[in-house]
Amino acid sequence: MSKATARDIAQAAGLSLSTVDRVLNNRGGVSQDKERRVLEWARRLNIDRALNQRVSRTLRIAVLLQPPENPFHASVQRSFEEATRQFSRFNLQFSIHHIDPGRPETTVALIRRLMERCDGLAIVSAQDEEVAAALRTFTASGKPVVTLVTDMQGADRFAYVGPDNRRAGRVAGDLMGRLLGKGGGDVVIISGMLSMIGHEEREMGFRAVLRERYPACRVAEVLESRERAELAGDLVFSALKNNDGIRGIYNASAGALSVVKAIRTLGRRDDITFITHELTEDRRQLLREGLIDVIIDQDPAFEVKTVVEVFAHHFGRSDEAPASLITPIHIHMIENG
């Protein structure tokens, strides 16, 4: 069988030979859809120069995150900044935009502006009907939206990438029950934002396990920190002052250091089990000092890699879709922190 040529690609893709030539030789000036078709057929027909080339048209992907004062979001931001270089063959340019979870109206305005100049969008956001409506408009323009870490209802998103948050909450509940033992005790849950689906799912999973297997462990309060680290500590301080029966704290959000400060200030370090999420550097140190008992980590670098693969596959720049969009969680304790 003779070797495939650019003419074969043109025929298979239903495009002109000049269009195929422009794509294969990185001359630009070709629409996103046509470029995708050319590259797809080039790979199918095993045209060597199309297999590993860096496609010429830069695709701009907006990433909407909380500011880096939140250590987890800082880690996600660093991973996206590295991804532009690490996956340069896909020619995807990720631009970071910071959003305030307490001001959804500014997020809506930002999404509307980005729709004119971006080819896709990834977002970490609490549930909000106006934000969801803005994302529906974005997707209706033919551009993909990926929700990351926490999903959003009504957004018509292309994909959700992140952990199974309900299962992560169940893991936290099982660990809490085991660590508190038969004596059990009252437990406080700290949710960053009750409107954030991921936090809601963690709480539901956590409660379900205690109800099913650890009846001596009771959820005394669910506190909302609004993703403000210092507020998380203040809420825990008040809860511990008002209830001597608290034996466990499950923090599903930011504020681990301020929670530890509250526990230490009240002299409760030795009788409180503290479980939280995200293995940031500050939390790793607290874990090693025995001030946090368990950290459930979702590996933001791996999540970002999966997002890159989703966009690259969608735009025809990679033949391989991610093996799974649900990313794994990892349990860290003092011996493996």
Side-chain angles (χ1 to χ4, degrees):
M1 183 180 294
S2 61
K3 188 174 181 179
T5 65
R7 191 175 299 278
D8 295 319
I9 296 175
Q11 183 175 359
L15 300 169
S16 69
L17 183 58
S18 61
T19 297
V20 172
D21 181 71
R22 294 189 71 83
V23 174
L24 293 183
N25 292 289
N26 285 326
R27 294 197 180 97
V30 177
S31 71
Q32 175 184 305
D33 178 64
K34 290 179 180 179
E35 179 188 80
R36 179 169 54 204
R37 285 154 60 189
V38 169
L39 293 175
E40 178 183 352
W41 277 106
R43 284 191 290 268
R44 287 187 185 184
L45 296 172
N46 201 30
I47 301 293
D48 293 340
R49 57 185 159 159
L51 295 180
N52 295 306
Q53 70 176 15
R54 184 178 189 269
V55 287
S56 60
R57 182 175 180 271
T58 299
L59 294 176
R60 293 173 175 81
I61 310 297
V63 180
L64 278 57
L65 306 169
Q66 290 181 37
E69 287 74 21
N70 182 314
F72 172 73
H73 288 265
S75 180
V76 174
Q77 177 170 330
R78 285 194 300 272
S79 295
F80 270 113
E81 289 168 348
E82 292 168 4
T84 297
R85 300 185 295 273
Q86 184 179 358
F87 301 97
S88 60
R89 64 188 182 279
F90 299 141
N91 204 2
L92 302 174
Q93 184 180 80
F94 295 96
S95 58
I96 306 297
H97 303 268
H98 296 138
I99 58 176
D100 182 345
R103 300 183 61 194
E105 69 281 358
T106 61
T107 302
V108 169
L110 174 62
I111 292 169
R112 289 172 178 165
R113 293 197 302 273
L114 292 172
M115 188 163 54
E116 299 300 319
R117 59 178 188 263
C118 291
D119 301 287
L121 183 147
I123 183 170
V124 183
S125 173
Q127 181 68 38
D128 181 86
E129 293 308 313
E130 294 301 318
V131 173
L135 293 174
R136 287 198 301 274
T137 302
F138 194 98
T139 59
S141 69
K143 300 176 180 180
V145 168
V146 174
T147 53
L148 175 62
V149 178
T150 179
D151 207 354
M152 179 175 289
Q153 296 175 350
D156 287 349
R157 45 77 168 164
F158 175 70
Y160 163 68
V161 172
D164 179 336
N165 282 298
R166 188 185 297 263
R167 176 161 292 187
R170 288 185 65 88
V171 169
D174 187 59
L175 289 165
M176 182 67 74
R178 291 174 183 273
L179 290 172
L180 291 184
K182 293 182 179 180
D186 286 354
V187 178
V188 171
I189 299 175
I190 307 169
S191 174
M193 297 188 74
L194 294 173
S195 61
M196 190 166 283
I197 289 177
H199 291 178
E200 179 186 29
E201 290 173 338
R202 288 176 180 178
E203 178 196 340
M204 292 170 63
F206 185 88
R207 283 179 177 274
V209 167
L210 296 189
R211 185 172 59 249
E212 293 165 14
R213 295 203 293 276
Y214 304 102
C217 299
R218 301 167 297 276
V219 175
E221 291 185 84
V222 178
L223 308 172
E224 186 177 23
S225 68
R226 305 296 299 174
E227 296 281 80
R228 291 160 51 194
E230 290 305 317
L231 179 57
D234 293 341
L235 292 170
V236 167
F237 185 89
S238 296
L240 292 176
K241 286 278 288 184
N242 295 329
N243 184 353
D244 291 336
I246 294 173
R247 293 291 178 268
I249 296 172
Y250 172 45
N251 179 20
S253 182
L257 180 58
S258 64
V259 170
V260 165
K261 287 181 179 178
I263 293 171
R264 297 181 76 171
T265 299
L266 293 172
R268 300 290 303 276
R269 171 177 175 175
D270 294 332
D271 66 342
I272 294 290
T273 295
F274 182 23
I275 297 175
T276 190
H277 289 261
E278 323 316 348
L279 189 66
T280 57
E281 284 307 309
D282 59 336
R283 296 186 184 198
R284 186 192 299 273
Q285 185 59 39
L286 294 172
L287 184 70
R288 289 172 173 172
E289 293 174 12
L291 298 170
I292 295 176
D293 295 281
V294 181
I295 295 176
I296 301 170
D297 187 57
Q298 58 186 296
D299 193 349
F302 183 80
E303 290 175 326
V304 169
K305 175 178 179 291
T306 304
V307 171
V308 173
E309 292 172 347
V310 167
F311 282 117
H313 183 67
H314 173 76
F315 288 114
R317 299 187 172 189
S318 172
D319 284 337
E320 297 184 6
S324 174
L325 301 182
I326 301 300
T327 55
I329 57 172
H330 307 279
I331 298 170
H332 297 269
M333 302 176 76
I334 192 168
E335 293 297 335
N336 69 331

